[in-house]
Amino acid sequence: MFRFLDYPTPDARGRFGPYGGRYVPETLIPALEELEAAYLEARRDPAFLAEYRAYLADYAGRPTPLYFAERLSRRLGGARIYLKREDLAHTGAHKINNTLGQALLARRMGKRRVIAETGAGQHGVSVATVAAMFGLEAVIYMGEEDVRRQALNVFRMRLLGARVVPVGSGTKTLKDATNEAIRDWVTHVRDTFYILGSVVGPHPYPRMVRDFQSVIGQEIRAQLKEKEGREVPDAVIACVGGGSNAIGAFAPFAYAEPRPRLVGVEAAGEGLATGRHAASIAAGRRGVLHGSYMYLLQDEDGQIAPAHSVSAGLDYPGVGPEHGYLADEGIAEYAAVTDREALEGFQLLARTEGIIPALESAHAVAYAAKLVPTLPADAVVVINISGRGDKDVAEVQRILEGER
Amino acid sequence: MNPVSEAFERARKEGRRAAIPFLTAGYPDPEGFLDHATRLARLADLFEVGLPFSDPLGDGPVIQRASERALAQGVRTRTTLDLLARLAERSRVPLLLMTYLNPVLAWGPERFFRDAREAGAAGVILPDLPPDEDPGIAALAQEAGLATVFLLAPTSTDARIATVAGYTTGFVYAVSVTGVTGARDRLPPELGELIARIKRRTALPVAVGFGVSGRATARQVAEAGADGVVVGSALIRAIEAGADPAGVLAEVREGARL
């Protein structure tokens, strides 16, 4: 059963070590203070917790299964591999854990209009979904490039009654959609709730989104106890773009003993050496974007560099401030896998387990395929399958058939 | 008194609110920028130069476009500082450098502010830095001899006004609307109330920006009790349309007479 846990981060000023904070136009400061107060008050209210749990169970379909992947385990010849099946949550990804929490908060604050940014469209679909269910007006900002790549999700959002606004500035992807969502919020701050989709942005978003997503790690502990007689596996592997599914899986382990290996897998795109990737921790420098101090892809003048990944959901030039902190402190480790490796992971999981993962999650599978063979046979590894791959099938078909 | 405050004082003695044009450095191209800026500076009390940034989340579409165009021509921090220095040679109007925080961090704050001062800047405007978020930044700018201008908005509480004013030197930049930069036909009627609330908490001059488009909006700013008026998007729009931005600034200056 989900609980609001107390973690040692962030501090009162929203800092994870040096990362995080609140670097936004002054117009938004009172709104962020109001949001923080409302969130802190809500998480102390048993009625809010009961309501959130009920929607997680009856609407999102939680708990999601922790599935023992026997054939994949045998194939990789090492540890016992479990898959955390976030792909089976309503709307097909972990995003719903966060959007349900924030939509409940929006309703509690009396805000009738919600806005969001989206990259691959998974967060946008999730926001459109909860907005429909709660009767809220939803406006979703999406880069023109992503609108083209993810046409199916655009239609899904419109079907759910949301207005999708294509964003044509900058690189026309997630980062620019986020700029535009922030501009909307600055303009309509008094009556609008911004449902941010990842553990990025100004305080309190990285903390609040982590808290809602930490249902993933809490369930892993309870389910592993039942299946393996131990709450803590040897390793937890999750993909990292902004980093919300990874933080959700990591948080209930990161600040407790014993601690498993926590492995975040960034997108190395066409290879770190090519400069065409989205690996902010592996190859970025610290800076400020979208209200937060974090690892960033940028040029030497501090202009934000375009990110690249075959997976639109990882195509973001920054990474949540808590990931920077976990990396610096050695609490979690971060690796990066290429587009090509991710495509192999995508097919590997499809053929061994009959599960088509999102291209994002396929990065975690691809890294597991490298790590697991080095582990003892009795080791227990959990891979977070953050979403399902239906949305990616057409793109993968295009790439694989193009190669033949 | 620093040159920024002096400029407000001089305008006041001449029976005017200070006129503060804004242009994005290197827009429409480096030489075109210098030509426009030099002409605009003759009608200005202070001049604001924006360092183009890839992700200007406080700006509306007009300044976004100007920023993208400047970046596409290779304008970066070094180029912006050079343009600032060349403008300083041609004009005695105090120059303010407006920049998002990340280029400052990438350059190194101490080096950035020293180089800006050497290029001739009298002050800096940091639109995405609430000053108390990183108090060391304002301190470094002030140590380099720059005025530090921070923004206040209609949503700012009295407590925020007091906090932000505490880090501000030169003048307070009051944002007229909840929103991003861009010319508007009229400004919200509560503008006077915002200016009054700010003036109760600081003796610094108050300049109003965002939304000023010409004579009428400038008059509204003057009547609301501001000491200065900033105009940016309307100038860039004039340049885009092939019109003379000095004509727009002259109107703003006229509207802002006492």
Side-chain angles (χ1 to χ4, degrees):
Chain A
M1 206 65 126
F2 172 79
R3 289 188 302 136
F4 286 106
L5 298 177
D6 290 314
Y7 300 106
T9 61
D11 65 18
R13 296 183 57 79
R15 297 282 178 162
F16 302 83
Y19 305 106
R22 201 173 258 177
Y23 296 93
V24 291
E26 189 64 33
T27 308
L28 292 179
I29 294 291
L32 290 166
E33 288 173 347
E34 182 196 13
L35 175 63
E36 185 183 8
Y39 172 62
L40 292 177
E41 195 255 337
R43 53 173 273 156
R44 281 193 301 268
D45 179 356
F48 182 81
L49 177 61
E51 205 175 18
Y52 180 52
R53 282 175 173 170
Y55 281 108
L56 285 180
D58 301 338
Y59 191 73
R62 302 204 72 90
T64 58
L66 184 70
Y67 163 71
F68 175 53
E70 195 177 347
R71 287 196 72 228
L72 182 66
S73 299
R74 228 183 305 136
R75 172 74 172 269
L76 296 179
R80 296 167 62 75
I81 300 172
Y82 285 87
L83 306 178
K84 182 57 173 164
R85 299 291 307 276
E86 291 301 297
D87 58 313
L88 294 177
H90 182 41
T91 72
H94 71 292
K95 295 290 186 188
I96 192 87
N97 305 331
N98 170 48
T99 53
L100 275 174
Q102 290 198 46
L104 282 169
L105 196 55
R107 201 173 64 167
R108 192 181 171 93
M109 294 172 74
K111 313 263 181 183
R112 305 296 306 166
R113 178 177 183 268
V114 298
I115 58 170
E117 81 295 340
T118 196
Q122 293 303 96
H123 176 58
V125 166
S126 186
V127 170
T129 299
V130 298
M133 195 250 297
F134 287 122
L136 304 169
E137 178 194 351
V139 179
I140 314 289
Y141 292 94
M142 188 169 185
E144 280 177 2
E145 179 63 19
D146 291 331
V147 166
R148 186 190 62 75
R149 288 195 286 192
Q150 303 285 344
L152 187 63
N153 271 343
V154 174
F155 182 68
R156 285 169 83 193
M157 289 184 266
R158 288 180 174 148
L159 199 61
L160 291 158
R163 189 156 71 87
V164 179
V165 181
V167 176
S169 58
T171 57
K172 305 176 173 48
T173 61
L174 176 57
K175 112 182 146 58
D176 310 281
T178 307
N179 290 337
E180 207 54 36
I182 293 173
R183 290 181 188 118
D184 180 311
W185 201 32
V186 170
T187 308
H188 303 104
V189 60
R190 291 188 174 100
D191 65 356
T192 294
F193 190 105
Y194 179 17
I195 302 186
L196 224 162
S198 193
V199 285
V200 299
H203 178 60
Y205 282 104
R207 179 208 176 163
M208 182 169 69
V209 176
R210 171 198 63 194
D211 290 356
F212 288 131
Q213 290 295 0
S214 72
V215 66
I216 301 171
Q218 291 182 34
E219 286 178 6
I220 292 173
R221 290 190 82 110
Q223 291 166 321
L224 212 53
K225 172 99 179 163
E226 214 163 90
K227 290 173 195 289
E228 290 280 337
R230 55 190 276 203
E231 283 187 30
V232 181
D234 294 287
V236 180
I237 305 172
C239 65
V240 175
S244 72
N245 89 83
I247 281 290
F250 293 176
F253 296 104
Y255 303 102
E257 290 293 337
R259 194 166 65 215
R261 280 179 74 176
L262 301 171
V263 188
V265 185
E266 296 188 296
E270 295 174 10
L272 295 183
T274 66
R276 285 179 53 75
H277 60 78
S280 310
I281 292 178
R285 284 184 299 119
R286 296 184 274 194
V288 165
L289 180 68
H290 299 149
S292 192
Y293 185 64
M294 59 186 174
Y295 280 104
L296 273 183
L297 302 180
Q298 54 180 317
D299 70 13
E300 57 187 26
D301 283 314
Q303 305 289 336
I304 307 306
H308 166 82
S309 170
V310 68
S311 124
L314 301 183
D315 203 344
Y316 183 71
V319 61
E322 190 167 3
H323 284 295
Y325 173 75
L326 295 178
D328 286 4
E329 295 295 314
I331 296 172
E333 55 194 285
Y334 293 83
V337 307
T338 61
D339 288 350
R340 178 166 295 276
E341 291 169 320
L343 285 163
E344 283 164 13
F346 185 86
Q347 296 168 86
L348 174 67
L349 196 65
R351 288 177 189 170
T352 55
E353 295 292 349
I355 296 169
I356 299 176
L359 272 175
E360 291 79 10
S361 324
H363 285 71
V365 175
Y367 187 74
K370 295 187 193 182
L371 177 68
V372 166
T374 71
L375 300 176
D378 62 348
V380 173
V381 171
V382 177
I383 308 172
N384 195 30
I385 305 299
S386 55
R388 69 175 183 226
D390 308 46
K391 68 181 175 61
D392 297 314
V393 167
E395 180 77 359
V396 171
Q397 180 188 24
R398 196 180 61 76
I399 296 168
L400 295 181
E401 290 184 351
E403 283 178 354
R404 284 206 197 106
Chain B
M1 203 189 276
N2 64 51
V4 177
S5 304
E6 274 170 23
F8 281 93
E9 188 58 29
R10 202 162 43 243
R12 197 184 59 82
K13 282 183 181 152
E14 290 173 16
R16 296 180 295 107
R17 314 296 192 184
I20 312 173
F22 167 94
L23 281 187
T24 300
Y27 176 84
D29 53 65
E31 295 309 313
F33 163 81
L34 271 179
D35 290 346
H36 284 302
T38 307
R39 293 186 57 233
L40 288 168
R42 293 188 195 119
L43 296 166
D45 297 288
L46 293 150
F47 198 103
E48 188 184 340
V49 174
L51 193 158
F53 183 52
S54 54
D55 295 80
L57 53 75
D59 284 303
V62 174
I63 294 178
Q64 286 176 49
R65 278 199 301 273
S67 215
E68 278 189 30
R69 173 148 176 189
L71 287 171
Q73 297 183 71
V75 177
R76 294 290 187 277
T77 304
R78 181 81 268 161
T79 344
T80 298
L81 292 170
D82 289 347
L83 288 170
L84 206 63
R86 289 175 67 190
L87 182 57
E89 281 167 17
R90 297 177 182 202
S91 162
R92 294 174 58 191
V93 171
L95 304 178
L96 304 159
L97 180 57
M98 192 291 293
T99 176
Y100 288 89
L101 186 58
N102 202 51
V104 178
L105 299 179
W107 201 253
E110 208 172 338
R111 175 179 169 225
F112 185 94
F113 296 132
R114 188 191 59 220
D115 289 356
R117 184 76 192 90
E118 276 172 19
V124 283
I125 303 175
L126 301 166
D128 61 344
L129 176 66
D132 51 331
E133 190 60 41
D134 195 341
I137 302 272
L140 284 172
Q142 288 167 10
E143 280 162 26
L146 296 166
T148 50
V149 177
F150 291 103
L151 279 61
L152 285 166
T155 52
S156 298
T157 58
D158 290 348
R160 282 306 299 171
I161 291 173
T163 300
V164 172
Y167 291 91
T168 303
T169 60
F171 68 96
V172 171
Y173 191 132
V175 173
S176 69
V177 292
T178 58
V180 294
T181 58
R184 288 153 175 94
D185 293 338
R186 69 181 78 79
L187 301 178
E190 314 84 67
L191 185 58
E193 188 198 314
L194 172 65
I195 293 166
R197 283 203 297 129
I198 295 171
K199 285 188 169 274
R200 276 200 291 277
R201 280 160 194 86
T202 176
L204 290 165
V206 177
V208 170
F210 289 33
V212 174
S213 56
R215 191 190 307 253
T217 40
R219 168 134 308 269
Q220 222 189 319
V221 169
E223 285 173 356
D227 306 291
V229 51
V230 185
V231 57
S233 296
L235 302 178
I236 291 170
R237 225 164 47 176
I239 296 172
E240 278 181 343
D244 183 4
V248 176
L249 183 59
E251 273 194 31
V252 166
R253 203 179 138 101
E254 191 54 39
R257 278 192 184 285
L258 287 180

